[in-house]
Amino acid sequence: MRKNILVIGGTGLVGKVILRLIQGRNPDYNLFIGSRHPGKASSNLVIDVTNPKTFDCIIHHKIDLIVMCTKDSNDNILQFVIKNKLDYIDVTKPTPDLTLAYNLAQTNKQKVESRIVFSSGWMGGIVGSLVDLIEPDKNQIQETNLYIYYSVKDQAGKSSANFLAENVCKPFIVYVNNKPEKVRHFLNSERFNFSFGIGKRKVYNLDVPDLFILNQIEKIPTVLVKMTYNSKFVTSLMGYFQRFKVFNIMSLRERQFLFGSSGKGDQTVFEVIVKTKAKIKKLSLQSVNGQAELTAFSTVLHIEKMLKEVLSGGIYFSHQIHSSQELYEALAGHHSINIKVR
């Protein structure tokens, strides 16, 4: 039976790549693009996430799975899929929005008969699975650290840039021995030695949903996330701006301009460090084609898993729907992804 998939935000950067990859891997899927603006093709549906009256076309076109690639602050689509028993996967939510959406889904848990999958962790929510791969026994893990290398030459969508612009002056939560600690972006620097020829870089605090997922869901006591830019100057400049409160005197538009630069494409790299009582384990991942490609490919793997119909109805994070080995093999087998485990 042909599957009908709707990608809301399918005209955006990640949405376009998701559609391209699905078409290449699963030509039997029937794809629809949801956007506020009408398109010329019959597969283009006018859907405004702020206006539930526009959702009727979802039922009319017998959509099986909705992929959310745009901001839905009021979770109107999430409420709609729960009510209408539709499968749903969200790849766009920053930590504050993710926690609200997860709590909303949990509150309506008795009504959930479809598959609700939150995939908003780093690069399509694959970090949790990679932690499982490194150390399957979560009880042994004392600390997990995620180190991110981000290139300003890479293609970047608006959502992450806008999130930083809106929240760079606000504290966020990291977890140390299960105690939440408030920190700010681009402070608490340390030196970290990245793989794939990058070398030692200064890294700063960054808020990503994996902080919530790994501590609150997977019960890992200490979870920290830090990042660096490919430009050492830009990295130091961000630290300077935060330390001396320059961000506080900038307008939102100025901060959006600062974080919103997008290049033509470059690699993205991240490192997962897992500490147990006995040892420290490390996984390094490089996406040669950048973060949009990696996020989209990870999302397509989740979509394929969901549509195999082996997953029962319920609320999941994306790492909970795969075996870690299965996901690792799919990632490692992709032409633009390199992984080292040691």
Side-chain angles (χ1 to χ4, degrees):
M1 183 176 176
R2 200 169 191 197
K3 300 295 184 181
N4 295 328
I5 302 173
L6 168 64
V7 181
I8 299 180
T11 57
L13 176 62
V14 173
K16 287 179 179 178
V17 183
I18 289 173
L19 289 164
R20 171 172 59 82
L21 292 176
I22 293 178
Q23 287 172 332
R25 291 168 61 91
N26 303 279
D28 56 323
Y29 289 172
N30 196 25
L31 303 178
F32 293 86
I33 301 169
S35 173
R36 288 178 297 174
H37 307 291
K40 296 180 180 180
S42 60
S43 58
N44 291 89
L45 308 182
V46 176
I47 297 175
D48 181 351
V49 297
T50 66
N51 182 7
K53 293 181 179 179
T54 64
F55 300 170
D56 290 345
C57 61
I58 297 174
I59 301 300
H60 176 74
H61 286 87
K62 299 180 180 179
I63 299 298
D64 298 297
L65 168 65
I66 293 178
V67 184
M68 281 296 298
C69 295
T70 192
K71 188 174 182 179
D72 181 15
S73 299
N74 295 320
D75 288 311
N76 289 324
I77 291 290
L78 176 58
Q79 295 177 69
F80 179 83
V81 299
I82 292 174
K83 179 181 178 181
N84 291 280
K85 303 178 177 59
L86 301 175
D87 289 340
Y88 167 95
I89 180 168
D90 193 308
V91 300
T92 62
K93 291 188 182 302
T95 310
D97 292 352
L98 173 63
T99 56
L100 290 173
Y102 179 69
N103 289 336
L104 172 63
Q106 287 292 109
T107 301
N108 291 276
K109 190 173 183 178
Q110 299 302 318
K111 300 178 183 177
V112 175
E113 297 182 26
S114 58
R115 286 83 61 86
I116 306 296
V117 178
F118 296 107
S119 186
S120 294
W122 190 250
M123 299 295 101
I126 58 176
V127 171
S129 291
L130 299 177
V131 171
D132 286 339
L133 180 77
I134 299 171
E135 179 50 70
D137 185 357
K138 291 290 197 316
N139 294 325
Q140 296 297 317
I141 301 177
Q142 296 181 322
E143 181 174 342
T144 297
N145 295 336
L146 174 62
Y147 294 94
I148 295 164
Y149 171 89
Y150 172 71
S151 174
V152 295
K153 299 177 183 177
D154 198 1
Q155 290 182 301
K158 292 182 178 180
S159 58
S160 57
N162 286 343
F163 172 74
L164 270 178
E166 293 167 3
N167 292 277
V168 69
C169 299
K170 303 175 184 177
F172 64 93
I173 299 296
V174 299
Y175 299 91
V176 179
N177 294 323
N178 285 319
K179 294 181 180 179
E181 294 187 2
K182 289 186 177 181
V183 300
R184 292 182 185 272
H185 292 93
F186 306 118
L187 291 180
N188 306 110
S189 69
E190 63 178 90
R191 301 283 292 180
F192 182 79
N193 191 19
F194 284 89
S195 304
F196 303 106
I198 296 170
K200 291 184 178 180
R201 295 297 182 106
K202 182 184 291 186
V203 292
Y204 286 117
N205 295 334
L206 183 71
D207 183 14
V208 300
D210 303 273
L211 291 163
F212 169 79
I213 295 167
L214 294 176
N215 179 265
Q216 296 294 294
I217 305 302
E218 295 301 328
K219 308 304 180 185
I220 295 173
T222 298
V223 186
L224 303 170
V225 178
K226 296 196 175 184
M227 66 87 69
T228 190
Y229 289 94
N230 65 311
S231 166
K232 294 180 180 179
F233 171 75
V234 170
T235 306
S236 296
L237 186 66
M238 294 300 178
Y240 175 89
F241 276 15
Q242 187 68 286
R243 182 181 176 187
F244 292 100
K245 302 186 185 303
V246 177
F247 289 125
N248 297 64
I249 61 175
M250 296 173 68
S251 68
L252 177 60
R253 183 181 294 273
E254 289 170 334
R255 295 198 299 268
Q256 287 174 334
F257 177 80
L258 180 67
F259 292 115
S261 61
S262 179
K264 296 182 178 180
D266 197 5
Q267 69 170 342
T268 188
V269 171
F270 68 82
E271 319 258 0
V272 181
I273 311 297
V274 173
K275 299 179 182 180
T276 66
K277 290 181 180 179
K279 61 182 68 174
I280 298 176
K281 303 177 182 180
K282 179 178 180 180
L283 181 145
S284 307
L285 188 148
Q286 175 195 47
S287 174
V288 176
N289 290 344
Q291 61 173 1
E293 178 90 7
L294 179 55
T295 299
F297 180 65
S298 302
T299 304
V300 170
L301 294 177
H302 306 330
I303 292 169
E304 292 172 347
K305 184 71 173 182
M306 293 174 71
L307 293 182
K308 287 179 180 177
E309 297 183 349
V310 296
L311 189 67
S312 60
I315 302 164
Y316 301 88
F317 288 91
S318 53
H319 71 278
Q320 296 171 329
I321 68 176
H322 298 275
S323 77
S324 58
Q325 187 64 34
E326 173 187 55
L327 186 68
Y328 166 76
E329 290 174 0
L331 291 169
H334 193 61
H335 68 277
S336 66
I337 297 173
N338 300 304
I339 303 178
K340 300 177 183 178
V341 183
R342 51 202 182 280

